[in-house]
Amino acid sequence: MPLQNPTICVLGCGTMGIAIIRGTLDSNTTTATDIPSEDHLRPAGFIACVSHKESASKLAKTLGDQVKVLYGAEGNVQGVAEADVILLCTKPQVAKAVLSAPGIRDGLAGKLLVSICAGVTIEQLKSWTTPTTTIIRAMPNTPCKIREGMTVLSCGANTDIQSMNFTSNIFSTLGRCRILDEKHLDAVTALAGSGPAFACVMLEALADGGVMMGLPRDVATELAAQVLQGAARMVLTTGAHPAAIKDSVTTPGGCTIAGLLTMEDGKIRSTLARTIQEATTVASTLGRDKK
């Protein structure tokens, strides 16, 4: 599917849709060397679709004049008809209803559909669209709002390289992006999608410990947040194994090993690993039709 400065329609433009639009618009104001994309792949414009008129009014104020805002079923049909790329950002449970609405299926013919609906498979999306629709699944996470996100893409068997590059470029404006086989996306949903919530529980617990030992709450929270961010950046920047970084901090008979043993007493490793396992199981059910 050839793309030439495509117009993007965001169906169900909520928090993630807004983040994607803002990230892409911001990237268009930087220099070409700052963006891993070619000029002809830069979006020409955005259309944001929501369910209700009141939501449309609020969204128009949020996004400004650079984005066309539509609402209701008719707005969805118009947005899909006018766009070259459709970004499906609805809740997984309503994805089928949105794509099966009159006028949507025909409007998707020959276009690129990118779905961020957790648990909704490429095979399902194919059955709700047309044979000429190019389909890509994406799993971003909430840190995309501050352009520190992690997005994983999975492409249909017949996806052309230009569509893959375009989609990768869009999500790369929001943080890191990589491509994996679809079989991994439920685990990705659990680890990257739900992961910020799990990380915040750990952050809050570390801060609670600081408060218990006399630190002011705001100071303890700042320290805990920066510690997690710094440790994560060391892993990503240096490529070092997390265990190597841990060991570099741990001296014989010191406070770090004492704290680590306390964590092990609480079975923190198995608890966190099982957390991802359980979240993956639930993620696999999200796209199923409710009986």
Side-chain angles (χ1 to χ4, degrees), residues 139-190:
M139 178 45 57
N141 62 7
T142 52
C144 286
K145 293 172 63 176
I146 60 167
R147 299 177 75 170
E148 287 289 348
M150 181 70 234
T151 302
V152 173
L153 307 178
S154 182
C155 305
N158 298 320
T159 304
D160 59 279
I161 190 67
Q162 190 182 54
S163 294
M164 285 192 285
N165 287 342
F166 173 80
T167 307
S168 180
N169 290 344
I170 289 292
F171 285 100
S172 291
T173 68
L174 306 178
R176 290 173 175 259
C177 183
R178 66 157 57 214
I179 298 175
L180 292 176
D181 290 340
E182 187 181 24
K183 65 182 180 181
H184 297 301
L185 283 197
D186 290 332
V188 168
T189 300

Side-chain angles (χ1 to χ4, degrees), residues 12 21 30 42 69 76 86 89 91 95 112 117 121 123 125 147 164-166 180 203 219 235 243 261 265 276 290:
I21 291 173
T30 62
R42 291 175 183 270
V69 179
N76 286 350
I86 293 79
C89 297
K91 294 180 179 178
L112 170 61
C117 299
T121 67
E123 198 61 36
L125 293 166
R147 299 177 75 170
M164 285 192 285
N165 287 342
F166 173 80
L180 292 176
L203 191 160
V219 173
V235 171
L261 289 176
D265 289 342
I276 303 305
K290 302 298 182 182

Side-chain angles (χ1 to χ4, degrees), residues 187-241:
V188 168
T189 300
L191 182 53
S194 300
F198 307 147
C200 282
V201 169
M202 291 186 285
L203 191 160
E204 186 181 24
L206 290 171
D208 284 344
V211 171
M212 185 177 75
M213 301 314 296
L215 291 176
R217 170 64 64 180
D218 61 333
V219 173
T221 300
E222 180 184 8
L223 266 59
Q226 184 60 35
V227 162
L228 291 181
Q229 176 177 250
R233 285 191 178 278
M234 284 184 72
V235 171
L236 293 173
T237 302
T238 68
H241 193 285

Side-chain angles (χ1 to χ4, degrees), residues 125-140:
L125 293 166
K126 286 172 62 178
S127 70
W128 302 335
T129 57
T130 74
T132 61
T133 303
T134 301
I135 296 172
I136 295 178
R137 282 184 66 187
M139 178 45 57

Side-chain angles (χ1 to χ4, degrees), residues 235-285:
V235 171
L236 293 173
T237 302
T238 68
H241 193 285
I245 297 174
K246 177 204 68 177
D247 288 347
S248 71
V249 182
T250 307
T251 55
C255 59
T256 302
I257 189 62
L260 287 171
L261 289 176
T262 301
M263 295 175 76
E264 297 292 357
D265 289 342
K267 299 182 178 180
I268 189 169
R269 290 175 184 269
S270 61
T271 298
L272 290 175
R274 295 292 187 189
T275 296
I276 303 305
Q277 181 183 35
E278 184 63 22
T280 300
T281 299
V282 174
S284 69
T285 70

